[in-house]
Amino acid sequence: MTAIFPSEEWLKGLEIKINSDEKYANIAKNWEGDLVFVIEPEGSLKEQLTFYLDLWHGSCRKVEYKPALESYPNPVFTLVASYNSITAILSGKLNPMTAMMTSKLKVKGNMGYMMRNVPTVLDFVRVVQEATEEIM
């Protein structure tokens, strides 16, 4: 059975996928930074949802499903989007860079660092898309 996005099982599956993807490990070998995702309710998502990922040199050291935002007060990046925008990115219907430029995906953090690491960011999105087979 496939884990459905968004769920704790999906997030754990994403962690496994990140840690077993050799292409991502190579492309992201210099990435140092944790991410907090805040997904705003819309459509079938009825309440705000948060995810935490600690990405470090091409691997994922930790994930957490529904952490309190105060648990991670200073992540390198905080990404905020509506449920429909996130699912459009996950299904490949919305390019993540377009989503950022049109404010459908809001990013808080060092944009210079992110722009210097666009290949890492785009490959992370590839891995997430590959880990997402079914969307609620």
Side-chain angles (χ1 to χ4, degrees):
M1 187 173 138
T2 304
I4 298 172
F5 174 86
S7 67
E8 188 168 8
E9 295 77 19
W10 172 85
L11 188 60
K12 295 287 186 187
L14 175 58
E15 179 181 24
I16 292 166
K17 172 72 173 145
I18 290 169
N19 288 329
S20 65
D21 193 292
E22 290 182 27
K23 181 180 177 187
Y24 176 77
N26 184 53
I27 290 172
K29 65 182 178 261
N30 295 320
W31 180 271
E32 297 179 351
D34 56 347
L35 312 172
V36 169
F37 285 86
V38 179
I39 304 171
E40 298 296 343
E42 188 174 50
S44 59
L45 185 69
K46 301 304 178 196
E47 60 184 42
Q48 185 183 72
L49 180 60
T50 56
F51 296 138
Y52 173 81
L53 292 97
D54 182 5
L55 303 176
W56 192 259
H57 293 270
S59 67
C60 183
R61 300 190 295 190
K62 177 182 179 181
V63 297
E64 188 173 346
Y65 184 74
K66 293 187 177 181
L69 293 177
E70 53 273 7
S71 298
Y72 301 102
N74 297 306
V76 173
F77 292 102
T78 300
L79 298 102
V80 179
S82 70
Y83 181 74
N84 289 349
S85 292
I86 287 290
T87 58
I89 292 168
L90 293 178
S91 65
K93 294 176 184 170
L94 177 60
N95 178 288
M97 301 309 274
T98 301
M100 286 174 44
M101 290 187 284
T102 59
S103 295
K104 290 183 179 183
L105 175 63
K106 296 172 186 73
V107 179
K108 298 175 190 168
N110 184 333
M111 291 307 294
Y113 184 77
M114 185 171 279
M115 290 298 117
R116 287 189 303 276
N117 288 281
V118 167
T120 298
V121 171
L122 293 178
D123 203 57
F124 173 75
V125 172
R126 174 195 62 84
V127 171
V128 174
Q129 288 172 334
E130 289 178 6
T132 307
E133 297 178 21
E134 192 171 346
I135 296 173
M136 173 178 79

